[in-house]
Amino acid sequence: MILMAVMIPFSMVASDSPQKQKKKKADKNTAEWYYELEAYSAPYRGSCNVKVWSYGPDIITARDQATKNAVHGAFFRGIPGDPQKRINPLPPLVDDIMAETTYKEFFDKFFENGGAYLRYATKTMSAGNDEILKYDKKNYKVGVIVTVQYDALNKMLVDQGIKKSLTSGFAK
Amino acid sequence: MKRILLSIFIIAASVLPSFGQAALPSIMVIPSDAWCKTNGFLNAYENNGVTSYVADYRAALINSPELKTVISLINNKMTSEGFRLVDLESTLKNIETENALNSVTTSSMGDMMAETPREQMSRVAKADIWIEVNWYLTQMGPQKSLTFEMRALDSYSLKDVASAQGTSGKTYMVEIPVLVEEAVSSYFYDFTTQLKSYFKEILQNGREITLEIRVWENAGFNLDTDMGTDFLGYMIEDWVMENAAGGMKTPSTASENILVFRGVRMPNTTPEGRQVDARYWTRPLVRMLKENNISSKLYTKGLGQVTIVLGQDL
C-alpha cells in the first residue's frame, strides 16, 4: 500500500513528456517573477512594446514564455521606463498588492497554457530578431519584443472586479 | 408573501447604490494659458492699470488641429473610464447660440430677459475637474522632441489634484500628432493613479469649497454685532463647525466685515441622500440668518465658491 502511494505520483511525473516538464519549469519561473522586462518604445494607442527576457531549459520554451511574462509583468510589476530613450514607465495595472493571492483562482486560469492572456500580448518580431544567451549549464535567456494591450488589460481587470474603476464610489 | 418581500428587497438593492452617493465629477479638457500664450490665443486686457488675460479657446480650436487631437485623445480615455466629459468646443458653441437667442428673445410687451452683468459673466463653461494641457516642440538641429504637461484642477478648490509631465525621445521623422498621442498614452496611467487617490479622498471627506461672508456698506451692523446669544461672526463660525464634513473649519480671514472659510469641506450628500453643491449646502445658513432677522444675498462663483453678503436681500 505504501509502495503504491509512492509509485502513483512518481508515475504521474514520469508520464509528463520532457516538453511538458520544460513548460512547467518556465511557468514556475513566471509565477516566481523570474523574468526581466526592458523598455522598448513609448506606448501608443493603448498598447506598448516591451522587451521580455525569459529563462528556460531550451530556447523555444523560453521564447514561448515571453507573452505570458509580458502580461504577468504588466499586471504586477509595471512596464519599466528608460531615461536614455525618454520612455516613461507604466505602473502595474493591479494596484492592490494582495490581489494575486485574493484572486488566485482567476489568475491561475488566466495564465494557464493557452489561456486568456494570449489575447492581450503578441510577439511582434520574427524569431530571427530574438536575443539568445546561454545563461548557465541548464538555462537559456531569450529576449523577445512583445506588444502588450495595456488599456485592454486594464479594462478586463475592472470588468472582472479585480481593480476598482476611476469612477467607483460615485453615482453614475 | 416571501416572494413579494424578496422582490421588494431586490428592487431596493438595485436603487440604493445610486442613492446617497456623490455625483460623478464632470471633466473638461482645456489648453493651458501657457499654451494659449505661446500659440497666440491669449488676449491681454488693461483694466484700471491691471493687466488681465483671457484665453480665446474658440480661436484656438479653430486654428490648432493638434489641440483638437489632444482634447479628443484625453476625452476618449476619460470616457472609457466611465466619466461624463464636457466638451470644450460644444460648450463654447452652446454659449454662443444661447447669447444669440437671448439677445432676440423678448416678451409680448417687448421686454428683454432679465440678466445682471454678474449672471452674464458666470454663464461660462463649467465642469468639476478641468484638465489643462500644454505641450511644445523643441528643435535641436534636425531632431525634435516634445514636452508634454497635463494637470487636473478641482474647480471647487482650484487645487492642483493630479499632474504628469515629461519629454519624448529625440526623433527625426515622427509627426507632432503621433508624438502627442505617445505622450498622452505615456502619462495617462500616472495621471489617473493620482486622480484616483484624490477621488478616494473626496468620497471619504467631502468636497472642498470656499465660503465667504461679507457685509454691505450701509447694513447698519457687522460681524461683531452682538445678536443676544452670541456675536454674529461666531454664530456663523459655529454653523460651519457643525455642518462641515471635515478639514479646515476655522476662518482663514476674520474681521468685522469679512469672514472667509477656505478649504472647508461640505458632505457629498445630505442625510436624506440628496447630492449637494456649495450653494445648496449653505441654504440652512441663509435660513438661520433670516431667523435672526439678517437679510442676505447669495452669490456663486463657479461650482465651489459661495459669497453671502449680509444686510440687503435685493
Side-chain angles (χ1 to χ4, degrees):
Chain A
M1 189 66 185
I2 295 166
L3 185 68
M4 271 184 76
V6 174
M7 284 301 285
I8 289 169
F10 178 75
S11 62
M12 280 170 74
V13 172
S15 69
D16 273 1
S17 66
Q19 197 51 43
K20 266 191 178 173
Q21 285 180 35
K22 284 176 185 172
K23 188 73 191 142
K24 271 188 184 171
K25 172 85 174 81
D27 281 343
K28 191 169 170 268
N29 284 344
T30 304
E32 290 172 356
W33 301 25
Y34 188 50
Y35 58 85
E36 285 141 35
L37 302 175
E38 194 182 311
Y40 186 77
S41 61
Y44 186 68
R45 299 217 165 182
S47 68
C48 65
N49 289 340
V50 61
K51 188 165 197 174
V52 185
W53 290 95
S54 311
Y55 297 83
D58 64 42
I59 297 165
I60 295 169
T61 314
R63 183 174 195 277
D64 285 351
Q65 199 67 13
T67 40
K68 197 178 276 190
N69 287 341
V71 176
H72 191 274
F75 278 168
F76 304 112
R77 301 174 91 166
I79 308 292
D82 184 338
Q84 278 195 325
K85 288 186 196 167
R86 294 185 186 161
I87 299 173
N88 195 49
L90 295 175
L93 288 171
V94 176
D95 47 10
D96 173 8
I97 52 166
M98 295 308 290
E100 198 180 1
T101 323
T102 317
Y103 301 100
K104 188 176 182 313
E105 204 179 319
F106 168 82
F107 286 120
D108 285 349
K109 190 158 173 50
F110 186 81
F111 282 117
E112 71 186 12
N113 291 323
Y117 76 92
L118 284 167
R119 292 166 188 246
Y120 301 96
T122 323
K123 289 193 271 278
T124 44
M125 291 187 187
S126 67
N129 289 314
D130 298 346
E131 281 187 61
I132 301 161
L133 305 170
K134 180 80 177 136
Y135 185 65
D136 57 27
K137 279 183 185 171
K138 288 181 181 172
N139 286 298
Y140 283 89
K141 181 178 178 181
V142 180
V144 181
I145 312 298
V146 178
T147 303
V148 183
Q149 301 299 328
Y150 208 74
D151 282 5
L153 276 174
N154 186 52
K155 187 174 181 313
M156 185 274 295
L157 289 170
V158 171
D159 291 346
Q160 292 293 329
I162 294 166
K163 185 178 180 176
K164 280 187 181 167
S165 77
L166 256 184
T167 54
S168 85
F170 291 108
K172 304 273 160 63
Chain B
M1 185 63 186
K2 268 186 185 173
R3 276 189 186 172
I4 295 167
L5 282 172
L6 188 69
S7 328
I8 291 168
F9 176 76
I10 291 167
I11 293 165
S14 61
V15 170
L16 276 173
S18 62
F19 185 74
Q21 279 182 312
L24 184 68
S26 58
I27 289 177
M28 186 186 277
V29 185
I30 54 167
S32 73
D33 283 357
W35 184 90
C36 291
K37 173 99 172 77
T38 313
N39 293 279
F41 301 119
L42 194 71
N43 303 323
Y45 295 99
E46 285 283 335
N47 190 9
N48 295 331
V50 179
T51 312
S52 48
Y53 297 92
V54 177
D56 189 349
Y57 296 141
R58 196 81 174 95
L61 285 162
I62 290 167
N63 295 300
S64 169
E66 288 143 24
L67 175 63
K68 277 191 146 182
T69 309
V70 172
I71 290 179
S72 57
L73 276 171
I74 302 173
N75 277 359
N76 278 346
K77 287 206 169 258
M78 296 309 281
T79 309
S80 64
E81 292 282 346
F83 281 100
R84 278 198 322 266
L85 266 293
V86 185
D87 183 58
L88 177 62
E89 192 170 22
S90 316
T91 310
L92 293 172
K93 277 183 190 167
N94 196 28
I95 290 169
E96 274 175 20
T97 318
E98 234 175 69
N99 285 344
L101 277 173
N102 288 351
S103 66
V104 293
T105 309
T106 53
S107 73
S108 56
M109 303 295 287
D111 293 336
M112 300 292 286
M113 281 201 281
E115 191 172 37
T116 64
R118 195 182 167 102
E119 280 166 343
Q120 270 176 0
M121 284 174 73
S122 65
R123 210 154 40 80
V124 290
K126 279 179 187 174
D128 297 316
I129 306 275
W130 292 322
I131 297 181
E132 269 191 5
V133 285
N134 179 28
W135 69 93
Y136 54 89
L137 209 61
T138 310
Q139 194 95 27
M140 288 180 73
Q143 289 184 314
K144 56 191 172 196
S145 62
L146 183 106
T147 300
F148 185 84
E149 293 165 6
M150 178 158 73
R151 69 173 185 149
L153 283 167
D154 185 334
S155 65
Y156 281 67
S157 60
L158 295 179
K159 274 187 180 169
D160 195 339
V161 293
S163 63
Q165 60 279 312
T167 303
S168 74
K170 289 174 192 157
T171 173
Y172 292 98
M173 297 293 286
V174 183
E175 306 92 323
I176 302 171
V178 177
L179 286 174
V180 166
E181 201 163 342
E182 271 184 9
V184 173
S185 296
S186 295
Y187 306 119
F188 188 72
Y189 279 94
D190 280 346
F191 187 73
T192 48
T193 307
Q194 293 171 45
L195 262 187
K196 204 171 184 175
S197 347
Y198 179 65
F199 289 153
K200 198 175 161 190
E201 197 204 320
I202 285 182
L203 288 168
Q204 276 172 358
N205 306 320
R207 297 206 72 154
E208 272 187 31
I209 60 156
T210 299
L211 170 63
E212 196 173 322
I213 310 289
R214 285 176 163 265
V215 183
W216 290 116
E217 228 172 26
N218 298 315
F221 64 88
N222 61 27
L223 295 166
D224 285 344
T225 303
D226 192 345
M227 303 296 294
T229 48
D230 205 342
F231 297 108
L232 180 57
Y234 286 114
M235 282 170 69
I236 295 168
E237 215 175 312
D238 286 349
W239 183 89
V240 172
M241 186 63 101
E242 281 162 23
N243 291 278
M248 184 74 93
K249 288 173 184 173
T250 48
S252 54
T253 306
S255 64
E256 66 219 55
N257 292 311
I258 303 171
L259 199 55
V260 182
F261 298 89
R262 268 183 229 288
V264 62
R265 284 180 188 268
M266 58 170 193
N268 293 306
T269 53
T270 61
E272 297 80 36
R274 181 177 165 151
Q275 289 162 356
V276 177
D277 64 4
R279 184 188 62 87
Y280 190 81
W281 180 67
T282 48
R283 198 167 90 158
L285 174 62
V286 173
R287 198 164 279 278
M288 184 271 278
L289 291 167
K290 197 167 185 165
E291 279 162 13
N292 285 280
N293 299 318
I294 304 274
S295 53
S296 62
K297 179 88 185 131
L298 187 141
Y299 298 98
T300 56
K301 185 182 158 200
L303 293 163
Q305 183 164 341
V306 167
T307 304
I308 298 174
V309 191
L310 311 179
Q312 290 171 28
D313 51 9
L314 286 173

